[in-house]
Amino acid sequence: MSADVRRWCFADQLGTHFLDDPAQPVLLIESQAVFARRRFHRRKAHLVLSALRHRAAELGEQAVFLRARTYREALDQLGEPVSVCQPTSWSADRFVRSLPSVDVLPARGFCTSREDFEQWADSQRTLRLENFYRTARRRFDLLMDGDQPAQGRWNFDADNREPAPKDTATLGVPRPWQPSEDEIDEQVRADLDRWERDGEVSFVGRDGPREFAVTAIEAQQALAVFIRDRLPHFGPHEDAMLTGDRFMAHSLLSAPMNLGLLDPLDCAYAAEDAYRAGKAPIGSVEGYIRQLIGWRDYIWHVYWHFGWEYRHRNALHAKAALPDWFTELDADAVEANCLSDVLAQVRDHGWVHHIPRLMVLSNFALQRGWDPAAVTDWFHRSFVDGYDWVMVANVVGMSLHADGGLMATKPYASGGAYINRMSDYCGGCRYQPNRRVGEQACPFTGGYWWFLARNAEQLRRNRRMAQPMAGLGRLKDLDEVVAQQRRRADSPP
């Protein structure tokens, strides 16, 4: 279609790279029904509405900005044909394709196209991330010296798994870029207050000053600060956690990127430029580029490749409901230091970096057999960077092993020893990571053995689980461990 046709941009498609021409007319829709369907985190609602309204203000007369109960009502009100880049969820994709006045274009905002991914997938026995990542490195000529990877290595993960430094409260790197709120944020907050007061919507989590970019200019500023100040320190401790440093050296760019304000490939080339200029070590740069052209794209493509039913997979038959203390983000009810601190960060900020998500929150859910669909929905609603495509593959595939190994070759389950090694959480905790039974038994250590026992029949068929399953067979107090974990199952640890 011509660039003269108005481009409908969803609230996660707000960058200029979603337009065919900088002057193309735009449609933006604010639908209150989106927030009425689920109890989203208050900070997420604020971020999305702030970004949408800031984009409308930037475009001025170039955009039609409609506020309606539903998208369909807004489109009927507009009364003209539009084009739209493929939306980022199965439900939204089905909806736009059902509308005769909407021309659906290929997806944007990712590095590898769906066609290129499917061609790659057809050539693979299993969809290993490492193989996909190396193919992407070659395709985009990122960190390549000719046809070989820079410094002769594809992967610096082994160098990027250092535990949290001892006897320090923070990693000691410069703080990330932080925004200043304006009158648009003020109005968003007032509207959310009014909607909630009138009973039209309900939120989880606490409100607070906006912490993430909502415009392309802000996003570029945040990227520049990360590349200059934090990328050089990113790699070694990217898997570590510190109680006093919730940011560590992470970029905090996932939220603006998932709003469509940053092109991930541009970010990857900016990181490579820092390496080529001698301003950041290759281990940190490779780790960051892997997250962009490897993991982020891989998660996006897995979401579509395995189809709509992928979200309903439950290979381990996990059926337990999420307890109220977890769904309500009641961190104060939790005594385990790691889980209390991470849940408080979600409650207060709607964000933690990837290791607390995987090795604290998801690990706890996996051990207790919580329903994968409910956990997926919780992550989607509770995180400012959470979207359907982000959370389905991350939770169903990576975190809860509910897909039976289509993504990860073994479950990401661990006991308290891992958290003790990679963080400072265990030192002052009432629980001891080396104890699995008794009043001081770590809920993660006991929970780990309960998880293995509960799923022993299936896990014994996995060759990568041979060592932990052999350890399970040597436990003389397994019955006591299992009984204690069952008693504790619904109570906050």
Side-chain angles (χ1 to χ4, degrees), residues 281-338:
I282 192 168
S284 291
V285 172
E286 188 276 322
Y288 181 59
I289 288 176
R290 173 185 297 271
Q291 288 189 350
L292 294 175
I293 71 169
W295 186 251
R296 184 176 186 270
D297 258 33
Y298 180 74
I299 288 294
W300 160 257
H301 289 296
V302 164
Y303 176 80
W304 297 102
H305 179 78
F306 289 129
W308 166 258
E309 290 301 317
Y310 184 76
R311 70 180 57 247
H312 301 298
R313 287 182 177 264
N314 193 354
L316 298 179
H317 308 292
K319 299 292 187 181
L322 276 61
D324 289 345
W325 61 264
F326 191 83
T327 59
E328 296 299 320
L329 311 180
D330 187 5
D332 296 334
V334 178
E335 294 185 77
N337 279 358
C338 59

Side-chain angles (χ1 to χ4, degrees), residues 196-315:
E196 193 164 25
R197 191 168 55 246
D198 293 345
E200 297 172 356
V201 297
S202 177
F203 299 111
V204 296
R206 295 177 178 174
D207 193 16
R210 177 165 60 86
E211 296 181 310
F212 299 92
V214 293
T215 69
I217 291 175
E218 286 188 341
Q220 288 298 325
Q221 292 171 343
L223 173 63
V225 169
F226 170 67
I227 297 291
R228 184 192 68 215
D229 296 342
R230 299 169 61 77
L231 177 61
H233 310 280
F234 170 70
H237 297 288
E238 66 175 289
D239 286 359
M241 300 174 283
L242 280 171
T243 308
D245 192 345
R246 65 188 181 93
F247 299 134
M248 302 296 279
H250 292 273
S251 73
L252 276 73
L253 297 176
S254 58
M257 190 173 293
N258 290 352
L259 289 167
L261 297 170
L262 288 170
D263 186 319
L265 203 52
D266 289 346
C267 297
Y269 285 124
E272 183 188 34
D273 288 345
Y275 161 68
R276 300 291 185 189
K279 296 179 179 179
I282 192 168
S284 291
V285 172
E286 188 276 322
Y288 181 59
I289 288 176
R290 173 185 297 271
Q291 288 189 350
L292 294 175
I293 71 169
W295 186 251
R296 184 176 186 270
D297 258 33
Y298 180 74
I299 288 294
W300 160 257
H301 289 296
V302 164
Y303 176 80
W304 297 102
H305 179 78
F306 289 129
W308 166 258
E309 290 301 317
Y310 184 76
R311 70 180 57 247
H312 301 298
R313 287 182 177 264
N314 193 354

